[in-house]
mmCIF file of all heavy atoms in Angstrom:
data_model
loop_
_atom_site.group_PDB
_atom_site.id
_atom_site.type_symbol
_atom_site.label_atom_id
_atom_site.label_comp_id
_atom_site.label_asym_id
_atom_site.label_seq_id
_atom_site.Cartn_x
_atom_site.Cartn_y
_atom_site.Cartn_z
ATOM 1 N N ASP A 1 19.516 -73.405 -31.468
ATOM 2 C CA ASP A 1 19.907 -72.134 -32.034
ATOM 3 C C ASP A 1 19.819 -72.216 -33.569
ATOM 4 O O ASP A 1 19.518 -73.301 -34.092
ATOM 5 C CB ASP A 1 21.304 -71.692 -31.587
ATOM 6 C CG ASP A 1 22.400 -72.610 -32.030
ATOM 7 O OD1 ASP A 1 22.334 -73.171 -33.144
ATOM 8 O OD2 ASP A 1 23.379 -72.806 -31.251
ATOM 9 N N THR A 2 20.009 -71.154 -34.246
ATOM 10 C CA THR A 2 19.809 -71.110 -35.717
ATOM 11 C C THR A 2 20.741 -72.026 -36.438
ATOM 12 O O THR A 2 20.437 -72.539 -37.519
ATOM 13 C CB THR A 2 19.921 -69.678 -36.247
ATOM 14 O OG1 THR A 2 21.228 -69.142 -35.869
ATOM 15 C CG2 THR A 2 18.844 -68.782 -35.730
ATOM 16 N N ALA A 3 21.943 -72.283 -35.893
ATOM 17 C CA ALA A 3 22.885 -73.146 -36.524
ATOM 18 C C ALA A 3 22.338 -74.581 -36.673
ATOM 19 O O ALA A 3 22.734 -75.333 -37.618
ATOM 20 C CB ALA A 3 24.202 -73.202 -35.743
ATOM 21 N N ASN A 4 21.441 -75.010 -35.788
ATOM 22 C CA ASN A 4 20.841 -76.369 -35.866
ATOM 23 C C ASN A 4 20.014 -76.540 -37.170
ATOM 24 O O ASN A 4 19.759 -77.652 -37.559
ATOM 25 C CB ASN A 4 19.988 -76.619 -34.668
ATOM 26 C CG ASN A 4 20.732 -76.649 -33.368
ATOM 27 O OD1 ASN A 4 20.205 -76.370 -32.318
ATOM 28 N ND2 ASN A 4 22.012 -76.994 -33.386
ATOM 29 N N PHE A 5 19.605 -75.446 -37.782
ATOM 30 C CA PHE A 5 18.791 -75.571 -38.993
ATOM 31 C C PHE A 5 19.598 -76.082 -40.199
ATOM 32 O O PHE A 5 19.038 -76.549 -41.179
ATOM 33 C CB PHE A 5 18.094 -74.224 -39.344
ATOM 34 C CG PHE A 5 16.883 -74.026 -38.479
ATOM 35 C CD1 PHE A 5 16.946 -73.141 -37.419
ATOM 36 C CD2 PHE A 5 15.720 -74.719 -38.717
ATOM 37 C CE1 PHE A 5 15.834 -72.968 -36.571
ATOM 38 C CE2 PHE A 5 14.597 -74.528 -37.926
ATOM 39 C CZ PHE A 5 14.658 -73.637 -36.851
ATOM 40 N N GLU A 6 20.911 -76.052 -40.105
ATOM 41 C CA GLU A 6 21.748 -76.687 -41.143
ATOM 42 C C GLU A 6 21.489 -78.192 -41.114
ATOM 43 O O GLU A 6 21.325 -78.833 -42.191
ATOM 44 C CB GLU A 6 23.250 -76.390 -40.925
ATOM 45 C CG GLU A 6 24.144 -77.232 -41.846
ATOM 46 C CD GLU A 6 23.823 -77.141 -43.324
ATOM 47 O OE1 GLU A 6 23.407 -76.067 -43.841
ATOM 48 O OE2 GLU A 6 23.980 -78.190 -44.001
ATOM 49 N N MET A 7 21.391 -78.761 -39.968
ATOM 50 C CA MET A 7 21.081 -80.194 -39.828
ATOM 51 C C MET A 7 19.650 -80.480 -40.365
ATOM 52 O O MET A 7 19.412 -81.459 -41.014
ATOM 53 C CB MET A 7 21.180 -80.604 -38.377
ATOM 54 C CG MET A 7 20.963 -82.092 -38.117
ATOM 55 S SD MET A 7 22.427 -83.145 -38.220
ATOM 56 C CE MET A 7 23.486 -82.447 -36.949
ATOM 57 N N VAL A 8 18.737 -79.595 -40.043
ATOM 58 C CA VAL A 8 17.346 -79.716 -40.502
ATOM 59 C C VAL A 8 17.325 -79.718 -42.046
ATOM 60 O O VAL A 8 16.695 -80.549 -42.701
ATOM 61 C CB VAL A 8 16.418 -78.620 -39.966
ATOM 62 C CG1 VAL A 8 15.060 -78.601 -40.642
ATOM 63 C CG2 VAL A 8 16.281 -78.759 -38.443
ATOM 64 N N GLN A 9 18.056 -78.747 -42.644
ATOM 65 C CA GLN A 9 18.109 -78.658 -44.108
ATOM 66 C C GLN A 9 18.672 -79.908 -44.724
ATOM 67 O O GLN A 9 18.203 -80.408 -45.768
ATOM 68 C CB GLN A 9 18.905 -77.407 -44.532
ATOM 69 C CG GLN A 9 18.204 -76.083 -44.237
ATOM 70 C CD GLN A 9 16.829 -76.028 -44.936
ATOM 71 O OE1 GLN A 9 16.655 -76.428 -46.075
ATOM 72 N NE2 GLN A 9 15.814 -75.549 -44.154
ATOM 73 N N ASN A 10 19.679 -80.476 -44.076
ATOM 74 C CA ASN A 10 20.270 -81.734 -44.589
ATOM 75 C C ASN A 10 19.197 -82.831 -44.588
ATOM 76 O O ASN A 10 19.075 -83.615 -45.549
ATOM 77 C CB ASN A 10 21.480 -82.137 -43.748
ATOM 78 C CG ASN A 10 22.095 -83.409 -44.172
ATOM 79 O OD1 ASN A 10 22.542 -83.558 -45.333
ATOM 80 N ND2 ASN A 10 22.096 -84.410 -43.323
ATOM 81 N N LEU A 11 18.455 -82.965 -43.486
ATOM 82 C CA LEU A 11 17.413 -83.997 -43.381
ATOM 83 C C LEU A 11 16.314 -83.782 -44.408
ATOM 84 O O LEU A 11 15.772 -84.711 -45.006
ATOM 85 C CB LEU A 11 16.849 -84.037 -41.959
ATOM 86 C CG LEU A 11 17.849 -84.476 -40.872
ATOM 87 C CD1 LEU A 11 17.226 -84.272 -39.513
ATOM 88 C CD2 LEU A 11 18.307 -85.877 -41.104
ATOM 89 N N LEU A 12 15.984 -82.495 -44.678
ATOM 90 C CA LEU A 12 14.961 -82.199 -45.682
ATOM 91 C C LEU A 12 15.478 -82.528 -47.100
ATOM 92 O O LEU A 12 14.733 -83.095 -47.890
ATOM 93 C CB LEU A 12 14.565 -80.715 -45.621
ATOM 94 C CG LEU A 12 13.717 -80.304 -44.394
ATOM 95 C CD1 LEU A 12 13.644 -78.795 -44.314
ATOM 96 C CD2 LEU A 12 12.387 -80.958 -44.399
ATOM 97 N N ARG A 13 16.730 -82.162 -47.390
ATOM 98 C CA ARG A 13 17.283 -82.488 -48.728
ATOM 99 C C ARG A 13 17.277 -83.990 -48.991
ATOM 100 O O ARG A 13 17.101 -84.422 -50.108
ATOM 101 C CB ARG A 13 18.733 -82.014 -48.815
ATOM 102 C CG ARG A 13 18.894 -80.535 -49.107
ATOM 103 C CD ARG A 13 20.332 -80.133 -49.388
ATOM 104 N NE ARG A 13 21.267 -80.402 -48.335
ATOM 105 C CZ ARG A 13 21.538 -79.527 -47.332
ATOM 106 N NH1 ARG A 13 20.959 -78.393 -47.275
ATOM 107 N NH2 ARG A 13 22.402 -79.855 -46.378
ATOM 108 N N LYS A 14 17.471 -84.764 -47.939
ATOM 109 C CA LYS A 14 17.477 -86.237 -48.076
ATOM 110 C C LYS A 14 16.137 -86.887 -47.922
ATOM 111 O O LYS A 14 16.003 -88.076 -47.835
ATOM 112 C CB LYS A 14 18.518 -86.829 -47.109
ATOM 113 C CG LYS A 14 19.925 -86.357 -47.474
ATOM 114 C CD LYS A 14 21.005 -87.020 -46.696
ATOM 115 C CE LYS A 14 22.331 -86.506 -47.260
ATOM 116 N NZ LYS A 14 23.443 -87.197 -46.665
ATOM 117 N N ASP A 15 15.089 -86.009 -47.805
ATOM 118 C CA ASP A 15 13.701 -86.472 -47.685
ATOM 119 C C ASP A 15 13.484 -87.390 -46.510
ATOM 120 O O ASP A 15 12.725 -88.346 -46.551
ATOM 121 C CB ASP A 15 13.240 -87.151 -48.981
ATOM 122 C CG ASP A 15 11.725 -87.211 -49.090
ATOM 123 O OD1 ASP A 15 11.039 -86.285 -48.589
ATOM 124 O OD2 ASP A 15 11.209 -88.218 -49.652
ATOM 125 N N LEU A 16 14.159 -87.049 -45.375
ATOM 126 C CA LEU A 16 14.013 -87.870 -44.172
ATOM 127 C C LEU A 16 13.038 -87.278 -43.183
ATOM 128 O O LEU A 16 12.653 -87.958 -42.223
ATOM 129 C CB LEU A 16 15.411 -88.023 -43.516
ATOM 130 C CG LEU A 16 16.375 -88.906 -44.307
ATOM 131 C CD1 LEU A 16 17.781 -88.827 -43.741
ATOM 132 C CD2 LEU A 16 15.895 -90.350 -44.341
ATOM 133 N N LEU A 17 12.594 -86.070 -43.392
ATOM 134 C CA LEU A 17 11.578 -85.426 -42.540
ATOM 135 C C LEU A 17 10.281 -85.315 -43.368
ATOM 136 O O LEU A 17 10.322 -84.980 -44.517
ATOM 137 C CB LEU A 17 12.023 -84.061 -42.077
ATOM 138 C CG LEU A 17 13.153 -83.967 -41.069
ATOM 139 C CD1 LEU A 17 13.497 -82.486 -40.803
ATOM 140 C CD2 LEU A 17 12.792 -84.690 -39.775
ATOM 141 N N LYS A 18 9.164 -85.635 -42.693
ATOM 142 C CA LYS A 18 7.875 -85.571 -43.352
ATOM 143 C C LYS A 18 7.009 -84.491 -42.663
ATOM 144 O O LYS A 18 6.970 -84.425 -41.430
ATOM 145 C CB LYS A 18 7.145 -86.904 -43.255
ATOM 146 C CG LYS A 18 7.993 -88.106 -43.679
ATOM 147 C CD LYS A 18 8.320 -88.083 -45.161
ATOM 148 C CE LYS A 18 9.172 -89.300 -45.536
ATOM 149 N NZ LYS A 18 10.000 -89.093 -46.639
ATOM 150 N N PRO A 19 6.314 -83.692 -43.448
ATOM 151 C CA PRO A 19 5.474 -82.661 -42.873
ATOM 152 C C PRO A 19 4.193 -83.335 -42.249
ATOM 153 O O PRO A 19 3.848 -84.420 -42.607
ATOM 154 C CB PRO A 19 5.074 -81.767 -44.032
ATOM 155 C CG PRO A 19 5.261 -82.630 -45.259
ATOM 156 C CD PRO A 19 6.294 -83.643 -44.892
ATOM 157 N N PRO A 20 3.538 -82.644 -41.297
ATOM 158 C CA PRO A 20 3.989 -81.398 -40.723
ATOM 159 C C PRO A 20 5.165 -81.590 -39.809
ATOM 160 O O PRO A 20 5.238 -82.585 -39.110
ATOM 161 C CB PRO A 20 2.747 -80.916 -39.895
ATOM 162 C CG PRO A 20 2.054 -82.181 -39.554
ATOM 163 C CD PRO A 20 2.301 -83.149 -40.695
ATOM 164 N N TYR A 21 6.090 -80.662 -39.813
ATOM 165 C CA TYR A 21 7.289 -80.775 -39.039
ATOM 166 C C TYR A 21 7.013 -80.186 -37.645
ATOM 167 O O TYR A 21 6.445 -79.115 -37.523
ATOM 168 C CB TYR A 21 8.456 -79.952 -39.696
ATOM 169 C CG TYR A 21 8.595 -80.231 -41.154
ATOM 170 C CD1 TYR A 21 8.306 -79.282 -42.107
ATOM 171 C CD2 TYR A 21 9.035 -81.483 -41.597
ATOM 172 C CE1 TYR A 21 8.426 -79.550 -43.457
ATOM 173 C CE2 TYR A 21 9.185 -81.742 -42.942
ATOM 174 C CZ TYR A 21 8.838 -80.760 -43.867
ATOM 175 O OH TYR A 21 9.000 -81.026 -45.227
ATOM 176 N N TRP A 22 7.439 -80.896 -36.600
ATOM 177 C CA TRP A 22 7.224 -80.449 -35.245
ATOM 178 C C TRP A 22 8.590 -80.070 -34.648
ATOM 179 O O TRP A 22 9.436 -80.921 -34.523
ATOM 180 C CB TRP A 22 6.567 -81.546 -34.402
ATOM 181 C CG TRP A 22 6.284 -81.024 -33.011
ATOM 182 C CD1 TRP A 22 7.098 -81.185 -31.906
ATOM 183 C CD2 TRP A 22 5.145 -80.323 -32.595
ATOM 184 N NE1 TRP A 22 6.523 -80.563 -30.854
ATOM 185 C CE2 TRP A 22 5.307 -80.042 -31.210
ATOM 186 C CE3 TRP A 22 3.985 -79.896 -33.227
ATOM 187 C CZ2 TRP A 22 4.380 -79.345 -30.458
ATOM 188 C CZ3 TRP A 22 3.043 -79.223 -32.460
ATOM 189 C CH2 TRP A 22 3.228 -78.975 -31.121
ATOM 190 N N PHE A 23 8.759 -78.797 -34.320
ATOM 191 C CA PHE A 23 9.975 -78.302 -33.753
ATOM 192 C C PHE A 23 9.746 -77.936 -32.279
ATOM 193 O O PHE A 23 8.774 -77.295 -31.962
ATOM 194 C CB PHE A 23 10.456 -77.097 -34.507
ATOM 195 C CG PHE A 23 11.013 -77.380 -35.859
ATOM 196 C CD1 PHE A 23 10.179 -77.340 -36.974
ATOM 197 C CD2 PHE A 23 12.352 -77.745 -36.032
ATOM 198 C CE1 PHE A 23 10.688 -77.653 -38.250
ATOM 199 C CE2 PHE A 23 12.822 -78.058 -37.273
ATOM 200 C CZ PHE A 23 12.039 -78.018 -38.364
ATOM 201 N N ASP A 24 10.723 -78.295 -31.465
ATOM 202 C CA ASP A 24 10.814 -77.813 -30.097
ATOM 203 C C ASP A 24 11.975 -76.858 -30.037
ATOM 204 O O ASP A 24 13.123 -77.264 -30.208
ATOM 205 C CB ASP A 24 11.073 -78.974 -29.085
ATOM 206 C CG ASP A 24 9.854 -79.859 -28.903
ATOM 207 O OD1 ASP A 24 8.746 -79.364 -28.941
ATOM 208 O OD2 ASP A 24 10.076 -81.053 -28.629
ATOM 209 N N PHE A 25 11.692 -75.561 -29.884
ATOM 210 C CA PHE A 25 12.723 -74.586 -29.665
ATOM 211 C C PHE A 25 13.093 -74.561 -28.186
ATOM 212 O O PHE A 25 12.254 -74.247 -27.356
ATOM 213 C CB PHE A 25 12.274 -73.201 -30.086
ATOM 214 C CG PHE A 25 12.160 -72.972 -31.566
ATOM 215 C CD1 PHE A 25 11.700 -71.765 -32.037
ATOM 216 C CD2 PHE A 25 12.525 -73.953 -32.496
ATOM 217 C CE1 PHE A 25 11.562 -71.509 -33.415
ATOM 218 C CE2 PHE A 25 12.391 -73.701 -33.839
ATOM 219 C CZ PHE A 25 11.943 -72.490 -34.298
#
């Protein structure tokens, strides 16, 4: 759900995710 994107934003702020990002909805 959309609330999970807070966790995504945290990982992006800490440079722990690398593009291209693969999401499973």
